[in-house]
Amino acid sequence: MDLQLGDVQTTALIPLSIKANESMSKHARIHDDVAVEIIKTLGVDTTPYDKFMSHEGVIARTIMLDRQLKQMLEQTPDAVVVNLGAGFDNRFSRVDNGKILWFDMDLPDSIATRRKAFPERDRVTMVAGNVLEAAWTEAVPKDKPVILLAEGLFMYLSMDEIKTAVTIMKNAFPHGTLIAEMNNPLMVSQQKHHDTVKNTKAVFKSGTKSGQEIADLVDGVRLVEEHSFNEEMKKHSIRGKLFALLLPNMNDRWATFTW
């Protein structure tokens, strides 16, 4: 695998490090062999990118989204899934039902790096593009139900940029479902204290108290449900339970939208 550390956007190192370390742990809750291989190939010191709360948050969001997506694919087994801001995410391997069409979409430099790490796979297409420009949607079929995933993405966009991105999705796909990670506005003002993001060049640009704030940006978009990562995190540690009890609204959430 011919990868250079300079190829990797720093934000991608957080979930990559966490998934690799979790996969190598004795009682792994998720398994991501590609993450392990990339971390070993790059020789990355995962310490700055793998702190307890971020670790538990990434594992919780991974478990929750995998579970939700599998449930949705039971209802629509031939759906098209678009993984926005894919980075090094390997979710296809965990949820594939043998029928779905999967699209990993990210900025051109990220996709160029991703192509070095992931082999070509049947029913998986890598798409270089920008969520703020409609051109990427041309690669995705419009004649099947479309599920769009936005993990670790919206917090790096302003509310105006989120409106642009969601409008592009809604205009491109007549019947769509969007599952997006939401963060709290306090995380924007307190981001210098974030245990791992502070070690990158990333900047949080927005946060919401409810996914309804996103739904209200674009006519015809409806918020279906919203679930805090606390729901999963509190199952696995005392610190997770305390965080959910003392700061119930601070954690990130999964919000599901339809149109």
Side-chain angles (χ1 to χ4, degrees):
M1 190 186 299
D2 181 21
L3 289 176
Q4 300 296 321
L5 186 57
D7 288 335
V8 184
Q9 292 186 342
T10 53
T11 53
L13 290 174
I14 296 172
L16 185 68
S17 297
I18 290 169
K19 290 174 182 177
N21 288 341
E22 178 71 22
S23 297
M24 292 185 287
S25 67
K26 185 176 181 180
H27 301 290
R29 290 165 287 178
I30 66 165
H31 295 276
D32 191 332
D33 294 337
V34 174
V36 173
E37 183 181 358
I38 294 171
I39 287 297
K40 289 182 176 179
T41 299
L42 293 175
V44 173
D45 175 8
T46 62
T47 305
Y49 309 113
D50 189 357
K51 305 297 185 181
F52 179 81
M53 290 305 293
S54 282
H55 187 106
E56 291 303 295
V58 167
I59 298 306
R61 81 182 190 185
T62 300
I63 291 171
M64 293 174 76
L65 182 53
D66 284 0
R67 181 169 58 224
Q68 182 177 356
L69 192 52
K70 286 177 181 178
Q71 291 171 349
M72 294 177 69
L73 292 175
E74 288 176 1
Q75 303 299 319
T76 54
D78 62 342
V80 172
V81 182
V82 184
N83 191 15
L84 302 166
F88 288 114
D89 185 66
N90 194 27
R91 178 160 282 109
F92 173 80
S93 295
R94 297 192 300 273
V95 304
D96 180 34
N97 63 1
K99 297 180 180 179
I100 54 174
L101 295 180
W102 188 278
F103 293 81
D104 285 307
M105 181 276 201
D106 211 327
L107 294 169
D109 58 343
S110 295
I111 289 295
T113 305
R114 184 180 175 87
R115 291 187 188 279
K116 299 176 184 179
F118 287 85
E120 292 292 332
R121 295 182 284 187
D122 289 342
R123 294 178 289 105
V124 178
T125 304
M126 298 186 207
V127 179
N130 187 324
V131 293
L132 303 180
E133 301 169 358
W136 68 267
T137 65
E138 296 171 5
V140 183
K142 311 294 192 297
D143 59 345
K144 294 184 177 183
V146 176
I147 303 170
L148 301 121
L149 312 178
E151 180 178 14
L153 175 63
F154 278 10
M155 61 282 297
Y156 301 115
L157 303 178
S158 68
M159 292 298 283
D160 283 344
E161 288 172 329
I162 293 173
K163 179 178 181 178
T164 296
V166 175
T167 299
I168 286 170
M169 297 176 212
K170 183 175 181 293
N171 289 343
F173 309 112
H175 303 287
T177 299
L178 168 65
I179 309 173
E181 181 181 354
M182 306 275 101
N183 68 326
N184 189 286
L186 282 174
M187 292 304 297
V188 180
S189 61
Q190 299 297 315
Q191 60 185 289
K192 66 181 180 180
H193 302 299
H194 193 282
D195 62 351
T196 54
V197 173
K198 68 182 181 183
N199 297 319
T200 75
K201 297 178 182 179
V203 177
F204 291 149
K205 296 170 68 175
S206 67
T208 60
K209 293 183 178 179
S210 167
Q212 189 60 46
E213 296 171 48
I214 303 298
D216 289 343
L217 293 174
V218 182
D219 289 343
V221 173
R222 182 172 67 90
L223 174 66
V224 178
E225 59 180 350
E226 199 163 9
H227 294 280
S228 170
F229 294 176
N230 286 336
E231 294 179 19
E232 186 66 31
M233 281 178 61
K234 67 184 181 182
K235 298 177 184 178
H236 301 286
S237 72
I238 296 297
R239 289 172 69 179
K241 290 179 181 178
L242 288 174
F243 188 84
L245 179 65
L246 300 175
L247 297 167
N249 299 317
M250 272 294 288
N251 212 338
D252 285 11
R253 299 131 19 229
W254 279 123
T256 303
F257 307 88
T258 60
W259 56 81

